[in-house]
Amino acid sequence: MREVSDKPAAAVPAFLTGLRRWADAILYSSMLVAAAATSLTWATFLFWRVDIPFRLAALIFAATLFLYNIDSVLPYKFRQQAVLSGRKLWLIQHRRGLFGLALVALALATLLFWLDGWQHLTLFLGHLAAISLLYSFPVLKVRGHWRALRDLPLLKGFLIAYVWAAITVWVPALYLGKPLLAPVVLMLFGRRFFFILALTFVFDIRDYTKDLLGGTRTFPGIFGIRAAKILSLLCLVVSGLLIPPGLAPVQLLILTLPTLLTGLIVWFADETRPDYYFALLADGLMVAQFLAVYWAA
């Protein structure tokens, strides 16, 4: 009898294993997060019917990649008493590579910053960079322990939302010469701020046990996970009510879809969910925001 080869059957698991490795590398090295920051910035340009300049997109991508990867390789984070998830184990195993990637991203961001003449905004961009770095670095001594800004009670989400809204809304406004305090700019800023703030609750739920063990007091840790979900949904409602002027009903419907999807992700969030629930779905919602704006434009 002719033997049936098991090579095709073996090839399928091998393919899936390879696909999983690539997905881990893209998601856990913050490539998707950097793409999300770039996409949301592009979405703001599209509101004014302008495409994002390529080098500005590269600058934002590289700067985001640097900040998130330098955060993930900080020595003190590996000494924290916390539950090791698959994502955390991957970060530990690829720590050197992530540090190298962060340095390359920093070099590229610095080069683009000088070549494109952003020096006149050094103070503005510098304060965002300072918040982003101090967010993770333990620089404050509280009750004998060194703490980062993220460890101050309830401040974590607001810092993230502010920096993301400033980068993705105010930077395009500055590039196009629009006043930051103009009503339409403030509306776009508020819409983006509350959308990102809603997402931060999802990641606080993911880190619920780790934050409790590490002494970081977030909304889920203080008020409970259910209350944090309700607050997150309220943030989404506020974001959805901040409607940019001049939208047709069909455009408004398209822009509402990512908000509704975000609500579902928030409601079903739980720290026992797989890492991909947060790294792919939650982060991917920011790219979905851009796609909605792109289709509605």
Side-chain angles (χ1 to χ4, degrees), residues 10 81 84 88 130 163-165 216 222 224 262 279:
Q81 184 183 3
L84 289 179
K88 195 75 172 180
V163 171
W164 273 75
T216 302
I222 295 175
T262 305

Side-chain angles (χ1 to χ4, degrees), residues 265-278:
I265 296 298
V266 168
W267 191 250
F268 290 104
D270 187 272
E271 66 174 335
T272 61
R273 296 284 183 192
D275 291 318
Y276 278 18
Y277 184 90
F278 304 96

Side-chain angles (χ1 to χ4, degrees), residues 30-179:
S30 300
M31 289 284 187
L32 181 59
V33 173
T38 309
S39 298
L40 289 179
T41 308
W42 189 356
T44 304
F45 273 99
L46 287 178
F47 174 77
W48 285 300
R49 302 189 181 281
V50 178
D51 278 326
I52 186 172
F54 175 79
R55 296 212 311 202
L56 177 58
L59 171 61
I60 292 173
F61 183 91
T64 306
L65 200 60
F66 162 70
L67 289 170
Y68 273 79
N69 278 300
I70 205 66
D71 171 79
S72 66
V73 299
L74 289 176
Y76 88 97
K77 301 190 87 172
F78 295 93
R79 295 193 299 267
Q80 290 177 327
Q81 184 183 3
V83 178
L84 289 179
S85 63
R87 169 180 165 272
K88 195 75 172 180
L89 289 172
W90 190 94
L91 293 176
I92 293 173
Q93 293 167 359
H94 298 84
R95 189 176 173 188
R96 289 186 178 180
L98 292 174
F99 183 68
L101 180 61
L103 292 181
V104 172
L106 176 61
L108 177 60
T110 302
L111 178 64
L112 291 170
F113 176 84
W114 286 103
L115 289 179
D116 289 353
W118 288 93
Q119 292 90 326
H120 64 291
L121 294 177
T122 298
L123 188 61
F124 171 77
L125 296 175
H127 96 278
L128 297 177
I131 292 174
S132 300
L133 291 172
L134 296 177
Y135 171 85
S136 300
F137 283 88
V139 294
L140 300 172
K141 199 168 187 178
V142 180
R143 297 177 182 176
H145 297 281
W146 289 99
R147 299 289 186 183
L149 289 181
R150 70 191 303 276
D151 296 319
L152 299 180
L154 305 181
L155 190 59
K156 181 180 175 183
F158 292 99
L159 290 174
I160 296 172
Y162 171 73
V163 171
W164 273 75
I167 290 294
T168 62
V169 175
W170 278 349
V171 167
L174 288 169
Y175 186 89
L176 298 173
K178 300 182 182 297

Side-chain angles (χ1 to χ4, degrees), residues 234-267:
L234 288 175
C235 288
L236 286 176
V237 170
V238 173
S239 176
L241 291 176
L242 294 173
I243 302 172
L247 289 180
V250 174
Q251 292 175 311
L252 182 58
L253 176 62
I254 294 174
L255 293 178
T256 303
L257 292 177
T259 304
L260 296 177
L261 289 174
T262 305
L264 290 174
I265 296 298
V266 168
W267 191 250

